[in-house]
């Protein structure tokens, strides 16, 4: 596994860790996303304020466009339920966030940041967002992660950027 957000020194910081399977799946779907955005769910588990992503689930949006993707609740719930019902699925694995593609080399937008805050409020737990941004060469994919910790009664919901290096697999 590779860490998307390195811890520095002895400080424990939140971050996203992807299995090679999840990383390769994100890269593959981003490379198929030159015309429209695609997205879905991150599946894994939490370890403190860190998110460990084991797999991604694609949730189609029939109204998606080059700069829009909206994860629909009903198909997302069906995809997650089907995944978790598979024999041998670890009982600790579950929903840990969302992902989507950008068919251009840009990270999370202001709309993405607002959606992230809404996800945290709805889940009341630490969640992650990964944007898989396709570079102009239609091959290189940059993974941008955003982690937001669950809100407490005295803090505002805020996110922190976690940049990853470009992938050219």
């Amino acid at each position: 596994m590779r860490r998307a957000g390195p811890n520095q020194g002895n400080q424990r910081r939140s971050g996203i860790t992807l299995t090679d399977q999840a990383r390769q799946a994100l890269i593959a779907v981003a490379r198929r996303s030159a015309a429209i955005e695609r997205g879905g769910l991150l599946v894994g588990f939490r370890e403190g304020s860190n998110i460990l992503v084991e797999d991604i689930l694609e949730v189609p949006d029939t109204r998606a466009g080059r700069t829009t993707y909206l994860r629909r609740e009903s198909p997302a719930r069906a995809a997650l339920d089907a995944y978790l019902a598979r024999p041998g699925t670890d009982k600790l694995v579950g929903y840990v966030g969302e992902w989507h593609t950008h068919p251009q080399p840009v990270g999370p937008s202001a709309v993405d940041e607002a959606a992230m805050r809404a996800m945290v409020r709805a889940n009341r737990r630490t969640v992650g967002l990964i944007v898989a941004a396709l570079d102009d060469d239609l091959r290189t994919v940059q993974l941008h992660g955003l982690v937001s910790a669950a809100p407490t009664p005295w803090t505002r919901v805020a996110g922190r950027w976690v940049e990853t290096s470009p992938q050219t697999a």
Side-chain angles (χ1 to χ4, degrees), residues 26 29-30 33 36-42 56-59 61 64-71 97-104 106-113 115-116 119 128-134 141-144 146:
L26 281 166
V29 74
S33 302
I36 64 167
E37 288 191 9
R38 301 172 194 273
L41 307 177
L42 299 173
I56 66 165
L57 305 179
E58 188 168 355
V59 179
D61 175 13
R66 182 153 170 76
T67 60
T68 58
Y69 169 83
L70 180 61
R71 198 261 304 140
E98 316 255 334
W99 66 271
H100 69 270
T101 63
H102 281 177
Q104 61 233 5
V106 297
S109 66
V111 171
D112 296 334
E113 291 177 20
M116 181 73 170
M119 286 188 314
L129 171 69
I130 296 178
V131 173
L134 184 62
V141 175
Q142 298 174 14
L143 300 177
H144 303 271
L146 185 61

mmCIF file of all heavy atoms in Angstrom, residues 26 29-30 33 36-42 56-59 61 64-71 97-104 106-113 115-116 119 128-134 141-144 146:
data_model
loop_
_atom_site.group_PDB
_atom_site.id
_atom_site.type_symbol
_atom_site.label_atom_id
_atom_site.label_comp_id
_atom_site.label_asym_id
_atom_site.label_seq_id
_atom_site.Cartn_x
_atom_site.Cartn_y
_atom_site.Cartn_z
ATOM 1 N N LEU A 26 -8.716 3.204 -9.802
ATOM 2 C CA LEU A 26 -8.935 4.643 -9.992
ATOM 3 C C LEU A 26 -8.239 5.143 -11.256
ATOM 4 O O LEU A 26 -8.811 5.925 -12.027
ATOM 5 C CB LEU A 26 -8.437 5.429 -8.780
ATOM 6 C CG LEU A 26 -9.351 5.432 -7.565
ATOM 7 C CD1 LEU A 26 -8.601 5.951 -6.343
ATOM 8 C CD2 LEU A 26 -10.593 6.263 -7.834
ATOM 9 N N VAL A 29 -10.214 3.837 -14.409
ATOM 10 C CA VAL A 29 -11.476 4.530 -14.685
ATOM 11 C C VAL A 29 -11.218 5.975 -15.101
ATOM 12 O O VAL A 29 -11.922 6.514 -15.959
ATOM 13 C CB VAL A 29 -12.458 4.420 -13.500
ATOM 14 C CG1 VAL A 29 -12.073 5.299 -12.347
ATOM 15 C CG2 VAL A 29 -13.873 4.724 -13.941
ATOM 16 N N ALA A 30 -10.202 6.618 -14.558
ATOM 17 C CA ALA A 30 -9.874 7.995 -14.964
ATOM 18 C C ALA A 30 -9.472 8.038 -16.430
ATOM 19 O O ALA A 30 -9.844 8.963 -17.154
ATOM 20 C CB ALA A 30 -8.760 8.561 -14.082
ATOM 21 N N SER A 33 -12.275 8.361 -18.779
ATOM 22 C CA SER A 33 -13.144 9.493 -18.452
ATOM 23 C C SER A 33 -12.787 10.788 -19.164
ATOM 24 O O SER A 33 -12.984 11.860 -18.626
ATOM 25 C CB SER A 33 -13.114 9.715 -16.937
ATOM 26 O OG SER A 33 -13.530 8.563 -16.260
ATOM 27 N N ILE A 36 -16.553 12.326 -19.991
ATOM 28 C CA ILE A 36 -17.471 12.610 -18.881
ATOM 29 C C ILE A 36 -16.823 12.239 -17.555
ATOM 30 O O ILE A 36 -15.924 11.399 -17.509
ATOM 31 C CB ILE A 36 -18.811 11.844 -18.997
ATOM 32 C CG1 ILE A 36 -18.578 10.327 -18.903
ATOM 33 C CG2 ILE A 36 -19.564 12.236 -20.245
ATOM 34 C CD1 ILE A 36 -19.841 9.527 -18.698
ATOM 35 N N GLU A 37 -17.310 12.863 -16.498
ATOM 36 C CA GLU A 37 -16.871 12.486 -15.157
ATOM 37 C C GLU A 37 -17.562 11.185 -14.755
ATOM 38 O O GLU A 37 -18.689 10.916 -15.156
ATOM 39 C CB GLU A 37 -17.218 13.580 -14.140
ATOM 40 C CG GLU A 37 -16.366 14.819 -14.289
ATOM 41 C CD GLU A 37 -16.512 15.792 -13.126
ATOM 42 O OE1 GLU A 37 -17.145 15.459 -12.108
ATOM 43 O OE2 GLU A 37 -15.970 16.905 -13.241
ATOM 44 N N ARG A 38 -16.862 10.400 -13.973
ATOM 45 C CA ARG A 38 -17.398 9.163 -13.391
ATOM 46 C C ARG A 38 -17.103 9.220 -11.905
ATOM 47 O O ARG A 38 -16.227 9.957 -11.467
ATOM 48 C CB ARG A 38 -16.734 7.937 -14.001
ATOM 49 C CG ARG A 38 -16.904 7.817 -15.487
ATOM 50 C CD ARG A 38 -16.036 6.672 -16.026
ATOM 51 N NE ARG A 38 -15.911 6.738 -17.461
ATOM 52 C CZ ARG A 38 -16.739 6.205 -18.320
ATOM 53 N NH1 ARG A 38 -17.779 5.524 -17.886
ATOM 54 N NH2 ARG A 38 -16.536 6.319 -19.620
ATOM 55 N N GLY A 39 -17.784 8.401 -11.132
ATOM 56 C CA GLY A 39 -17.526 8.420 -9.700
ATOM 57 C C GLY A 39 -18.151 7.258 -8.984
ATOM 58 O O GLY A 39 -18.712 6.348 -9.592
ATOM 59 N N GLY A 40 -18.037 7.302 -7.660
ATOM 60 C CA GLY A 40 -18.593 6.232 -6.855
ATOM 61 C C GLY A 40 -18.130 6.304 -5.418
ATOM 62 O O GLY A 40 -17.834 7.373 -4.889
ATOM 63 N N LEU A 41 -18.038 5.134 -4.803
ATOM 64 C CA LEU A 41 -17.768 5.007 -3.379
ATOM 65 C C LEU A 41 -16.374 4.460 -3.113
ATOM 66 O O LEU A 41 -15.867 3.641 -3.878
ATOM 67 C CB LEU A 41 -18.788 4.062 -2.740
ATOM 68 C CG LEU A 41 -20.259 4.371 -2.982
ATOM 69 C CD1 LEU A 41 -21.132 3.289 -2.335
ATOM 70 C CD2 LEU A 41 -20.615 5.742 -2.468
ATOM 71 N N LEU A 42 -15.798 4.882 -2.006
ATOM 72 C CA LEU A 42 -14.565 4.299 -1.483
ATOM 73 C C LEU A 42 -14.965 3.280 -0.433
ATOM 74 O O LEU A 42 -15.776 3.569 0.449
ATOM 75 C CB LEU A 42 -13.688 5.371 -0.840
ATOM 76 C CG LEU A 42 -13.213 6.509 -1.724
ATOM 77 C CD1 LEU A 42 -12.500 7.574 -0.888
ATOM 78 C CD2 LEU A 42 -12.308 5.997 -2.829
ATOM 79 N N ILE A 56 -12.775 0.383 -4.812
ATOM 80 C CA ILE A 56 -13.689 1.447 -5.221
ATOM 81 C C ILE A 56 -14.885 0.793 -5.899
ATOM 82 O O ILE A 56 -14.762 -0.274 -6.499
ATOM 83 C CB ILE A 56 -13.032 2.473 -6.169
ATOM 84 C CG1 ILE A 56 -12.670 1.835 -7.512
ATOM 85 C CG2 ILE A 56 -11.818 3.111 -5.503
ATOM 86 C CD1 ILE A 56 -12.350 2.830 -8.602
ATOM 87 N N LEU A 57 -16.033 1.438 -5.765
ATOM 88 C CA LEU A 57 -17.236 0.982 -6.452
ATOM 89 C C LEU A 57 -17.680 2.097 -7.387
ATOM 90 O O LEU A 57 -17.843 3.245 -6.949
ATOM 91 C CB LEU A 57 -18.355 0.679 -5.456
ATOM 92 C CG LEU A 57 -18.034 -0.314 -4.342
ATOM 93 C CD1 LEU A 57 -19.238 -0.484 -3.420
ATOM 94 C CD2 LEU A 57 -17.614 -1.654 -4.925
ATOM 95 N N GLU A 58 -17.867 1.786 -8.659
ATOM 96 C CA GLU A 58 -18.351 2.800 -9.584
ATOM 97 C C GLU A 58 -19.870 2.861 -9.497
ATOM 98 O O GLU A 58 -20.544 1.829 -9.485
ATOM 99 C CB GLU A 58 -17.920 2.498 -11.018
ATOM 100 C CG GLU A 58 -18.252 3.629 -11.970
ATOM 101 C CD GLU A 58 -17.589 3.493 -13.330
ATOM 102 O OE1 GLU A 58 -16.785 2.572 -13.540
ATOM 103 O OE2 GLU A 58 -17.891 4.353 -14.188
ATOM 104 N N VAL A 59 -20.398 4.069 -9.396
ATOM 105 C CA VAL A 59 -21.837 4.301 -9.352
ATOM 106 C C VAL A 59 -22.163 5.220 -10.535
ATOM 107 O O VAL A 59 -21.882 6.418 -10.484
ATOM 108 C CB VAL A 59 -22.271 4.953 -8.020
ATOM 109 C CG1 VAL A 59 -23.770 5.201 -8.008
ATOM 110 C CG2 VAL A 59 -21.849 4.088 -6.836
ATOM 111 N N ASP A 61 -23.757 7.705 -13.249
ATOM 112 C CA ASP A 61 -24.660 8.849 -13.240
ATOM 113 C C ASP A 61 -25.055 9.086 -14.692
ATOM 114 O O ASP A 61 -24.236 9.538 -15.493
ATOM 115 C CB ASP A 61 -23.975 10.084 -12.657
ATOM 116 C CG ASP A 61 -24.831 11.338 -12.731
ATOM 117 O OD1 ASP A 61 -26.048 11.227 -13.013
ATOM 118 O OD2 ASP A 61 -24.283 12.427 -12.513
ATOM 119 N N ALA A 64 -24.302 12.541 -16.045
ATOM 120 C CA ALA A 64 -22.941 13.079 -15.913
ATOM 121 C C ALA A 64 -22.507 13.773 -17.196
ATOM 122 O O ALA A 64 -22.920 13.393 -18.300
ATOM 123 C CB ALA A 64 -21.957 11.964 -15.575
ATOM 124 N N GLY A 65 -21.668 14.778 -17.041
ATOM 125 C CA GLY A 65 -21.121 15.505 -18.181
ATOM 126 C C GLY A 65 -19.621 15.688 -18.001
ATOM 127 O O GLY A 65 -19.014 15.134 -17.087
ATOM 128 N N ARG A 66 -19.042 16.486 -18.842
ATOM 129 C CA ARG A 66 -17.590 16.703 -18.781
ATOM 130 C C ARG A 66 -17.159 17.355 -17.472
ATOM 131 O O ARG A 66 -16.054 17.115 -16.991
ATOM 132 C CB ARG A 66 -17.137 17.555 -19.970
ATOM 133 C CG ARG A 66 -15.645 17.766 -19.992
ATOM 134 C CD ARG A 66 -15.104 18.011 -21.375
ATOM 135 N NE ARG A 66 -13.720 18.427 -21.337
ATOM 136 C CZ ARG A 66 -12.686 17.617 -21.119
ATOM 137 N NH1 ARG A 66 -12.883 16.338 -20.942
ATOM 138 N NH2 ARG A 66 -11.448 18.082 -21.088
ATOM 139 N N THR A 67 -18.024 18.153 -16.865
ATOM 140 C CA THR A 67 -17.659 18.826 -15.618
ATOM 141 C C THR A 67 -18.656 18.562 -14.493
ATOM 142 O O THR A 67 -18.669 19.296 -13.501
ATOM 143 C CB THR A 67 -17.540 20.348 -15.832
ATOM 144 O OG1 THR A 67 -18.804 20.842 -16.295
ATOM 145 C CG2 THR A 67 -16.447 20.685 -16.835
ATOM 146 N N THR A 68 -19.464 17.521 -14.632
ATOM 147 C CA THR A 68 -20.445 17.218 -13.576
ATOM 148 C C THR A 68 -20.585 15.724 -13.354
ATOM 149 O O THR A 68 -20.567 14.933 -14.298
ATOM 150 C CB THR A 68 -21.852 17.769 -13.913
ATOM 151 O OG1 THR A 68 -22.281 17.202 -15.159
ATOM 152 C CG2 THR A 68 -21.853 19.271 -14.011
ATOM 153 N N TYR A 69 -20.694 15.373 -12.105
ATOM 154 C CA TYR A 69 -21.023 14.016 -11.687
ATOM 155 C C TYR A 69 -21.781 14.140 -10.372
ATOM 156 O O TYR A 69 -21.360 14.881 -9.478
ATOM 157 C CB TYR A 69 -19.768 13.149 -11.456
ATOM 158 C CG TYR A 69 -20.107 11.845 -10.767
ATOM 159 C CD1 TYR A 69 -20.575 10.761 -11.506
ATOM 160 C CD2 TYR A 69 -20.010 11.713 -9.388
ATOM 161 C CE1 TYR A 69 -20.927 9.581 -10.876
ATOM 162 C CE2 TYR A 69 -20.359 10.529 -8.755
ATOM 163 C CZ TYR A 69 -20.822 9.467 -9.502
ATOM 164 O OH TYR A 69 -21.185 8.306 -8.877
ATOM 165 N N LEU A 70 -22.884 13.448 -10.263
ATOM 166 C CA LEU A 70 -23.641 13.432 -9.020
ATOM 167 C C LEU A 70 -23.867 11.989 -8.614
ATOM 168 O O LEU A 70 -24.460 11.210 -9.370
ATOM 169 C CB LEU A 70 -24.984 14.150 -9.188
ATOM 170 C CG LEU A 70 -25.879 14.198 -7.957
ATOM 171 C CD1 LEU A 70 -25.194 14.939 -6.804
ATOM 172 C CD2 LEU A 70 -27.205 14.861 -8.302
ATOM 173 N N ARG A 71 -23.381 11.639 -7.453
ATOM 174 C CA ARG A 71 -23.570 10.286 -6.950
ATOM 175 C C ARG A 71 -25.007 10.170 -6.456
ATOM 176 O O ARG A 71 -25.434 10.872 -5.572
ATOM 177 C CB ARG A 71 -22.560 9.995 -5.833
ATOM 178 C CG ARG A 71 -22.395 8.535 -5.558
ATOM 179 C CD ARG A 71 -23.158 7.999 -4.387
ATOM 180 N NE ARG A 71 -22.864 8.680 -3.156
ATOM 181 C CZ ARG A 71 -23.815 8.971 -2.283
ATOM 182 N NH1 ARG A 71 -25.059 8.685 -2.505
ATOM 183 N NH2 ARG A 71 -23.509 9.596 -1.170
ATOM 184 N N GLY A 97 -15.945 6.869 2.049
ATOM 185 C CA GLY A 97 -15.893 8.109 1.299
ATOM 186 C C GLY A 97 -16.333 7.954 -0.135
ATOM 187 O O GLY A 97 -16.987 6.972 -0.505
ATOM 188 N N GLU A 98 -15.951 8.949 -0.937
ATOM 189 C CA GLU A 98 -16.388 9.038 -2.324
ATOM 190 C C GLU A 98 -15.189 9.333 -3.223
ATOM 191 O O GLU A 98 -14.156 9.811 -2.760
ATOM 192 C CB GLU A 98 -17.399 10.166 -2.486
ATOM 193 C CG GLU A 98 -18.443 10.230 -1.408
ATOM 194 C CD GLU A 98 -19.800 9.724 -1.836
ATOM 195 O OE1 GLU A 98 -20.104 9.773 -3.032
ATOM 196 O OE2 GLU A 98 -20.550 9.284 -0.945
ATOM 197 N N TRP A 99 -15.361 9.066 -4.493
ATOM 198 C CA TRP A 99 -14.350 9.404 -5.486
ATOM 199 C C TRP A 99 -15.070 9.824 -6.758
ATOM 200 O O TRP A 99 -16.222 9.461 -6.989
ATOM 201 C CB TRP A 99 -13.410 8.228 -5.776
ATOM 202 C CG TRP A 99 -14.112 7.076 -6.438
ATOM 203 C CD1 TRP A 99 -14.734 6.035 -5.814
ATOM 204 C CD2 TRP A 99 -14.300 6.871 -7.838
ATOM 205 N NE1 TRP A 99 -15.300 5.198 -6.737
ATOM 206 C CE2 TRP A 99 -15.041 5.693 -7.991
ATOM 207 C CE3 TRP A 99 -13.926 7.577 -8.972
ATOM 208 C CZ2 TRP A 99 -15.413 5.188 -9.238
ATOM 209 C CZ3 TRP A 99 -14.294 7.078 -10.219
ATOM 210 C CH2 TRP A 99 -15.023 5.896 -10.345
ATOM 211 N N HIS A 100 -14.392 10.616 -7.568
ATOM 212 C CA HIS A 100 -14.857 10.878 -8.927
ATOM 213 C C HIS A 100 -13.680 11.348 -9.763
ATOM 214 O O HIS A 100 -12.606 11.630 -9.246
ATOM 215 C CB HIS A 100 -16.043 11.851 -8.971
ATOM 216 C CG HIS A 100 -15.728 13.247 -8.584
ATOM 217 N ND1 HIS A 100 -15.806 13.697 -7.289
ATOM 218 C CD2 HIS A 100 -15.326 14.315 -9.319
ATOM 219 C CE1 HIS A 100 -15.485 14.970 -7.243
ATOM 220 N NE2 HIS A 100 -15.180 15.379 -8.457
ATOM 221 N N THR A 101 -13.909 11.378 -11.059
ATOM 222 C CA THR A 101 -12.854 11.766 -11.976
ATOM 223 C C THR A 101 -13.052 13.207 -12.434
ATOM 224 O O THR A 101 -14.152 13.743 -12.377
ATOM 225 C CB THR A 101 -12.845 10.856 -13.230
ATOM 226 O OG1 THR A 101 -14.075 11.017 -13.931
ATOM 227 C CG2 THR A 101 -12.633 9.402 -12.842
ATOM 228 N N HIS A 102 -11.960 13.794 -12.871
ATOM 229 C CA HIS A 102 -11.979 15.064 -13.590
ATOM 230 C C HIS A 102 -11.266 14.791 -14.914
ATOM 231 O O HIS A 102 -10.127 14.323 -14.892
ATOM 232 C CB HIS A 102 -11.235 16.154 -12.830
ATOM 233 C CG HIS A 102 -12.000 16.757 -11.708
ATOM 234 N ND1 HIS A 102 -11.457 17.708 -10.874
ATOM 235 C CD2 HIS A 102 -13.267 16.569 -11.269
ATOM 236 C CE1 HIS A 102 -12.357 18.069 -9.969
ATOM 237 N NE2 HIS A 102 -13.458 17.392 -10.183
ATOM 238 N N PRO A 103 -11.914 15.065 -16.040
ATOM 239 C CA PRO A 103 -11.270 14.803 -17.329
ATOM 240 C C PRO A 103 -10.262 15.877 -17.726
ATOM 241 O O PRO A 103 -9.977 16.069 -18.898
ATOM 242 C CB PRO A 103 -12.450 14.735 -18.312
ATOM 243 C CG PRO A 103 -13.570 15.412 -17.642
ATOM 244 C CD PRO A 103 -13.309 15.417 -16.171
ATOM 245 N N GLN A 104 -9.729 16.551 -16.735
ATOM 246 C CA GLN A 104 -8.669 17.535 -16.938
ATOM 247 C C GLN A 104 -7.816 17.552 -15.665
ATOM 248 O O GLN A 104 -8.276 17.120 -14.622
ATOM 249 C CB GLN A 104 -9.239 18.919 -17.238
ATOM 250 C CG GLN A 104 -10.087 19.461 -16.135
ATOM 251 C CD GLN A 104 -11.463 19.905 -16.607
ATOM 252 O OE1 GLN A 104 -11.817 19.717 -17.748
ATOM 253 N NE2 GLN A 104 -12.225 20.478 -15.714
ATOM 254 N N VAL A 106 -7.066 18.904 -12.848
ATOM 255 C CA VAL A 106 -7.387 19.817 -11.750
ATOM 256 C C VAL A 106 -7.854 19.007 -10.544
ATOM 257 O O VAL A 106 -8.472 17.965 -10.692
ATOM 258 C CB VAL A 106 -8.461 20.864 -12.139
ATOM 259 C CG1 VAL A 106 -7.963 21.766 -13.242
ATOM 260 C CG2 VAL A 106 -9.753 20.196 -12.544
ATOM 261 N N GLY A 107 -7.550 19.517 -9.370
ATOM 262 C CA GLY A 107 -7.947 18.848 -8.135
ATOM 263 C C GLY A 107 -9.385 19.159 -7.766
ATOM 264 O O GLY A 107 -10.156 19.664 -8.590
ATOM 265 N N PRO A 108 -9.749 18.889 -6.523
ATOM 266 C CA PRO A 108 -11.114 19.133 -6.065
ATOM 267 C C PRO A 108 -11.524 20.598 -6.223
ATOM 268 O O PRO A 108 -10.762 21.505 -5.928
ATOM 269 C CB PRO A 108 -11.067 18.738 -4.583
ATOM 270 C CG PRO A 108 -9.936 17.757 -4.497
ATOM 271 C CD PRO A 108 -8.929 18.243 -5.496
ATOM 272 N N SER A 109 -12.753 20.778 -6.690
ATOM 273 C CA SER A 109 -13.301 22.119 -6.905
ATOM 274 C C SER A 109 -14.001 22.606 -5.640
ATOM 275 O O SER A 109 -14.143 21.865 -4.659
ATOM 276 C CB SER A 109 -14.315 22.075 -8.048
ATOM 277 O OG SER A 109 -15.444 21.294 -7.648
ATOM 278 N N ALA A 110 -14.474 23.844 -5.682
ATOM 279 C CA ALA A 110 -15.253 24.380 -4.559
ATOM 280 C C ALA A 110 -16.522 23.563 -4.349
ATOM 281 O O ALA A 110 -16.951 23.348 -3.213
ATOM 282 C CB ALA A 110 -15.587 25.850 -4.820
ATOM 283 N N VAL A 111 -17.119 23.073 -5.427
ATOM 284 C CA VAL A 111 -18.301 22.204 -5.326
ATOM 285 C C VAL A 111 -17.932 20.899 -4.614
ATOM 286 O O VAL A 111 -18.675 20.412 -3.761
ATOM 287 C CB VAL A 111 -18.900 21.919 -6.724
ATOM 288 C CG1 VAL A 111 -19.985 20.857 -6.663
ATOM 289 C CG2 VAL A 111 -19.432 23.207 -7.346
ATOM 290 N N ASP A 112 -16.761 20.349 -4.955
ATOM 291 C CA ASP A 112 -16.286 19.129 -4.296
ATOM 292 C C ASP A 112 -16.078 19.361 -2.802
ATOM 293 O O ASP A 112 -16.431 18.515 -1.975
ATOM 294 C CB ASP A 112 -14.975 18.643 -4.917
ATOM 295 C CG ASP A 112 -15.128 18.233 -6.370
ATOM 296 O OD1 ASP A 112 -16.242 17.852 -6.771
ATOM 297 O OD2 ASP A 112 -14.114 18.313 -7.094
ATOM 298 N N GLU A 113 -15.496 20.499 -2.454
ATOM 299 C CA GLU A 113 -15.261 20.810 -1.043
ATOM 300 C C GLU A 113 -16.577 20.938 -0.288
ATOM 301 O O GLU A 113 -16.704 20.460 0.840
ATOM 302 C CB GLU A 113 -14.435 22.080 -0.915
ATOM 303 C CG GLU A 113 -13.006 21.905 -1.390
ATOM 304 C CD GLU A 113 -12.211 23.196 -1.327
ATOM 305 O OE1 GLU A 113 -12.605 24.114 -0.589
ATOM 306 O OE2 GLU A 113 -11.173 23.265 -2.003
ATOM 307 N N ALA A 115 -19.397 19.465 -1.110
ATOM 308 C CA ALA A 115 -19.946 18.109 -1.018
ATOM 309 C C ALA A 115 -19.260 17.330 0.099
ATOM 310 O O ALA A 115 -19.900 16.555 0.815
ATOM 311 C CB ALA A 115 -19.787 17.388 -2.356
ATOM 312 N N MET A 116 -17.969 17.561 0.264
ATOM 313 C CA MET A 116 -17.211 16.900 1.326
ATOM 314 C C MET A 116 -17.761 17.290 2.698
ATOM 315 O O MET A 116 -17.959 16.436 3.563
ATOM 316 C CB MET A 116 -15.736 17.292 1.203
ATOM 317 C CG MET A 116 -14.843 16.676 2.212
ATOM 318 S SD MET A 116 -14.648 14.949 1.794
ATOM 319 C CE MET A 116 -13.351 14.522 2.891
ATOM 320 N N MET A 119 -20.930 15.464 3.251
ATOM 321 C CA MET A 119 -20.714 14.043 3.552
ATOM 322 C C MET A 119 -20.363 13.853 5.018
ATOM 323 O O MET A 119 -20.844 12.927 5.667
ATOM 324 C CB MET A 119 -19.587 13.463 2.692
ATOM 325 C CG MET A 119 -19.967 13.236 1.261
ATOM 326 S SD MET A 119 -18.714 12.331 0.294
ATOM 327 C CE MET A 119 -17.182 13.113 0.704
ATOM 328 N N GLY A 128 -13.372 10.403 3.305
ATOM 329 C CA GLY A 128 -12.384 10.830 2.320
ATOM 330 C C GLY A 128 -13.019 11.091 0.971
ATOM 331 O O GLY A 128 -14.076 10.541 0.650
ATOM 332 N N LEU A 129 -12.362 11.928 0.208
ATOM 333 C CA LEU A 129 -12.746 12.195 -1.171
ATOM 334 C C LEU A 129 -11.484 12.102 -2.001
ATOM 335 O O LEU A 129 -10.461 12.696 -1.651
ATOM 336 C CB LEU A 129 -13.352 13.596 -1.320
ATOM 337 C CG LEU A 129 -13.596 14.064 -2.763
ATOM 338 C CD1 LEU A 129 -14.714 13.262 -3.411
ATOM 339 C CD2 LEU A 129 -13.912 15.554 -2.797
ATOM 340 N N ILE A 130 -11.551 11.354 -3.086
ATOM 341 C CA ILE A 130 -10.432 11.281 -4.023
ATOM 342 C C ILE A 130 -10.922 11.743 -5.379
ATOM 343 O O ILE A 130 -11.959 11.286 -5.868
ATOM 344 C CB ILE A 130 -9.857 9.851 -4.130
ATOM 345 C CG1 ILE A 130 -9.257 9.422 -2.790
ATOM 346 C CG2 ILE A 130 -8.800 9.791 -5.247
ATOM 347 C CD1 ILE A 130 -8.720 8.019 -2.774
ATOM 348 N N VAL A 131 -10.180 12.680 -5.961
ATOM 349 C CA VAL A 131 -10.434 13.112 -7.333
ATOM 350 C C VAL A 131 -9.295 12.563 -8.176
ATOM 351 O O VAL A 131 -8.119 12.840 -7.914
ATOM 352 C CB VAL A 131 -10.508 14.651 -7.443
ATOM 353 C CG1 VAL A 131 -10.601 15.072 -8.908
ATOM 354 C CG2 VAL A 131 -11.696 15.179 -6.658
ATOM 355 N N ALA A 132 -9.656 11.746 -9.167
ATOM 356 C CA ALA A 132 -8.680 11.181 -10.103
ATOM 357 C C ALA A 132 -8.711 12.055 -11.354
ATOM 358 O O ALA A 132 -9.660 11.993 -12.141
ATOM 359 C CB ALA A 132 -9.034 9.736 -10.424
ATOM 360 N N ALA A 133 -7.701 12.905 -11.503
ATOM 361 C CA ALA A 133 -7.671 13.895 -12.572
ATOM 362 C C ALA A 133 -6.806 13.412 -13.735
ATOM 363 O O ALA A 133 -5.634 13.105 -13.560
ATOM 364 C CB ALA A 133 -7.139 15.224 -12.035
ATOM 365 N N LEU A 134 -7.418 13.360 -14.901
ATOM 366 C CA LEU A 134 -6.733 12.916 -16.108
ATOM 367 C C LEU A 134 -5.949 14.075 -16.712
ATOM 368 O O LEU A 134 -6.489 15.165 -16.934
ATOM 369 C CB LEU A 134 -7.762 12.395 -17.120
ATOM 370 C CG LEU A 134 -7.228 11.787 -18.409
ATOM 371 C CD1 LEU A 134 -6.369 10.546 -18.111
ATOM 372 C CD2 LEU A 134 -8.397 11.411 -19.321
ATOM 373 N N VAL A 141 -2.468 10.181 -14.625
ATOM 374 C CA VAL A 141 -3.576 10.436 -13.699
ATOM 375 C C VAL A 141 -3.002 10.955 -12.389
ATOM 376 O O VAL A 141 -2.096 10.341 -11.817
ATOM 377 C CB VAL A 141 -4.403 9.154 -13.450
ATOM 378 C CG1 VAL A 141 -5.471 9.392 -12.397
ATOM 379 C CG2 VAL A 141 -5.007 8.644 -14.745
ATOM 380 N N GLN A 142 -3.511 12.083 -11.934
ATOM 381 C CA GLN A 142 -3.126 12.638 -10.639
ATOM 382 C C GLN A 142 -4.246 12.329 -9.648
ATOM 383 O O GLN A 142 -5.409 12.599 -9.933
ATOM 384 C CB GLN A 142 -2.927 14.142 -10.738
ATOM 385 C CG GLN A 142 -1.839 14.553 -11.684
ATOM 386 C CD GLN A 142 -1.784 16.066 -11.856
ATOM 387 O OE1 GLN A 142 -2.372 16.811 -11.088
ATOM 388 N NE2 GLN A 142 -1.075 16.509 -12.870
ATOM 389 N N LEU A 143 -3.876 11.770 -8.510
ATOM 390 C CA LEU A 143 -4.862 11.474 -7.474
ATOM 391 C C LEU A 143 -4.771 12.551 -6.401
ATOM 392 O O LEU A 143 -3.713 12.763 -5.811
ATOM 393 C CB LEU A 143 -4.606 10.098 -6.859
ATOM 394 C CG LEU A 143 -4.672 8.920 -7.827
ATOM 395 C CD1 LEU A 143 -4.330 7.622 -7.104
ATOM 396 C CD2 LEU A 143 -6.025 8.830 -8.500
ATOM 397 N N HIS A 144 -5.877 13.226 -6.164
ATOM 398 C CA HIS A 144 -5.971 14.282 -5.151
ATOM 399 C C HIS A 144 -6.903 13.792 -4.057
ATOM 400 O O HIS A 144 -8.037 13.415 -4.351
ATOM 401 C CB HIS A 144 -6.532 15.577 -5.744
ATOM 402 C CG HIS A 144 -5.755 16.101 -6.907
ATOM 403 N ND1 HIS A 144 -4.705 16.967 -6.744
ATOM 404 C CD2 HIS A 144 -5.877 15.888 -8.236
ATOM 405 C CE1 HIS A 144 -4.209 17.267 -7.937
ATOM 406 N NE2 HIS A 144 -4.905 16.625 -8.852
ATOM 407 N N LEU A 146 -8.789 14.369 -0.211
ATOM 408 C CA LEU A 146 -9.244 15.315 0.799
ATOM 409 C C LEU A 146 -9.848 14.494 1.926
ATOM 410 O O LEU A 146 -10.682 13.620 1.693
ATOM 411 C CB LEU A 146 -10.280 16.262 0.195
ATOM 412 C CG LEU A 146 -10.810 17.402 1.042
ATOM 413 C CD1 LEU A 146 -9.684 18.340 1.457
ATOM 414 C CD2 LEU A 146 -11.870 18.178 0.273
#
